[in-house]
Amino acid sequence: MTTTANFTGHEKQTTLSNPLVPYCSPELAEGIQHPLVCLIVLNIFLSICAFLGNSLILVALHKKSSLHTPSKLLLRCLSASDLCVGLIAEPAIVAIAVYWTSLVFGGNATCRYSALISHITGYILGSVSLLTLTAISIDRRLALMLGLKYKQIVTLKRTCMTLIAVWLLSIIGTTLYFVNYFITRWYGNIIILSCLVTSIYAYAMIFRFLRCHSYKVKKTAYQGQPGQNLQPLNLARYKKSVKTALCVQLTLVVCYLPYAAAHALPKRPHEVSKSLYLVRAMALTLVDLNSTLNPILYYWRIREVRRSVKESLKKTGLF
């Protein structure tokens, strides 16, 4: 039977306004050190992999490739947010776990500061990743709708303005936590719902068009008429880019879904047990795993990135 940390009076009122407080309560430290040691080792490994992997991707995207510049900028933004996860968010989680395994390390203040850093950076970077992936789905939809006008309308300047708006919205929405925690929670819920609905609609329209186009090509080929519409080579490249973007988006959803479910378990912020804490810690590790998986997906799905990464590794003598 799990032990639930109880809070009364001023402490309970504090946890209602600051839900991070229960996670630094000494009552939760008893008997969970060993599982957290495993999480420390895993998070350190994921942090290093996320930093190195996304650094290589950013170097690869910096070099010349056949990718459209705005599309390349969107991938850079996504890789940059994943790199920050490995550089800031995951070390903060490690610091929290270290506090639990040794209560004499830094005292309670270390845990609270680390929890705050992890919470704020996690919200900001998660919001940036989700909004950027939504922008990528819209970008792929526009590439299909606009045709030859795509490069004239989707310019580098407009993409930069969009990404600046994405970062500002994420930072403002997250920092409202210091005003009222529930504002940030509602912001997160609205962003998640709107982004998922937008992405699902965009990809549904894309695959609907591709299915209709495939049917028309088969029909005209059967009737002996020349196909018009998109050129086969461009269409094949477009399909691959759409599948890559969709693969990255589905990976994010799979990695974030357990944490969203675990975060919704207790009815009140102060109802935190050892088992719930461990479940959330493991779910949060899965969230950070997403930042390590994305570079692997880019390397696997994008030929230009794979070639550039190989060249970079050859220069260092590691490949």
Side-chain angles (χ1 to χ4, degrees):
M1 183 176 181
T2 59
T3 304
T4 303
N6 296 319
F7 299 89
T8 59
H10 177 70
E11 290 183 349
K12 184 174 180 178
Q13 184 177 0
T14 303
T15 57
L16 291 174
S17 59
N18 184 5
L20 301 179
V21 172
Y23 293 101
C24 296
S25 174
E27 285 84 354
L28 288 177
E30 300 175 0
I32 63 172
Q33 286 87 349
H34 294 295
L36 287 175
V37 168
C38 298
L39 289 178
I40 289 173
V41 175
L42 181 58
N43 274 281
I44 291 174
F45 174 75
L46 292 178
S47 178
I48 295 172
C49 290
F51 177 76
L52 295 178
N54 286 286
S55 296
L56 282 173
I57 296 300
L58 286 173
V59 171
L61 291 173
H62 179 70
K63 297 180 178 180
K64 294 181 180 180
S65 70
S66 61
L67 293 173
H68 184 39
T69 304
S71 300
K72 189 192 296 186
L73 184 60
L74 290 171
L75 285 177
R76 281 182 179 179
C77 180
L78 193 57
S79 294
S81 65
D82 288 333
L83 186 145
C84 290
V85 169
L87 194 62
I88 303 173
E90 287 189 280
I93 296 172
V94 171
I96 298 173
V98 169
Y99 164 79
W100 284 119
T101 56
S102 177
L103 288 176
V104 297
F105 177 79
N108 196 42
T110 298
C111 178
R112 294 192 182 187
Y113 286 134
S114 299
L116 181 62
I117 293 172
S118 175
H119 183 79
I120 295 298
T121 56
Y123 253 95
I124 292 175
L125 298 175
S127 176
V128 169
S129 296
L130 192 56
L131 287 168
T132 303
L133 283 172
T134 304
I136 290 175
S137 68
I138 296 173
D139 173 74
R140 294 296 81 202
R141 172 66 175 150
L142 290 175
L144 194 62
M145 291 174 55
L146 299 176
L148 296 176
K149 296 181 180 179
Y150 167 71
K151 291 186 178 181
Q152 299 175 2
I153 296 177
V154 183
T155 62
L156 181 61
K157 181 179 179 180
R158 289 174 178 172
T159 306
C160 285
M161 293 176 62
T162 300
L163 292 179
I164 290 173
V166 163
W167 278 93
L168 287 177
L169 179 62
S170 301
I171 292 172
I172 293 172
T174 302
T175 51
L176 287 174
Y177 166 87
F178 296 103
V179 178
N180 191 317
Y181 166 75
F182 294 102
I183 296 178
T184 300
R185 285 292 300 274
W186 275 106
Y187 160 78
N189 294 335
I190 293 172
I191 288 295
I192 290 172
L193 181 61
S194 58
C195 285
L196 289 179
V197 170
T198 302
S199 296
I200 289 172
Y201 175 78
Y203 287 119
M205 292 297 100
I206 288 171
F207 283 106
R208 179 184 177 185
F209 175 88
L210 292 176
R211 185 177 61 182
C212 293
H213 180 267
S214 178
Y215 173 77
K216 289 180 181 179
V217 169
K218 291 180 180 178
K219 184 176 180 181
T220 54
Y222 177 77
Q223 294 175 352
Q225 299 175 0
Q228 298 176 355
N229 292 331
L230 298 175
Q231 296 180 1
L233 180 60
N234 292 337
L235 183 60
R237 183 179 300 175
Y238 175 79
K239 284 182 177 179
K240 187 173 182 180
S241 68
V242 169
K243 289 180 179 179
T244 299
L246 184 59
C247 187
V248 174
Q249 180 122 23
L250 290 176
T251 302
L252 182 140
V253 171
V254 170
C255 290
Y256 276 65
L257 191 59
Y259 180 77
H263 200 70
L265 285 177
K267 298 298 182 181
R268 297 182 180 86
H270 62 276
E271 295 178 357
V272 181
S273 64
K274 294 178 183 179
S275 58
L276 178 58
Y277 175 81
L278 287 175
V279 168
R280 285 187 173 180
M282 290 186 288
L284 190 57
T285 301
L286 185 61
V287 167
D288 294 330
L289 174 64
N290 179 70
S291 298
T292 303
L293 293 178
N294 281 342
I296 298 174
L297 293 175
Y298 304 148
Y299 181 87
W300 172 44
R301 299 289 306 179
I302 306 175
R303 183 175 56 186
E304 294 85 354
V305 170
R306 182 166 60 251
R307 185 184 301 118
S308 181
V309 169
K310 286 182 179 180
E311 291 176 356
S312 299
L313 291 176
K314 284 181 181 178
K315 291 180 180 178
T316 60
L318 297 175
F319 188 82

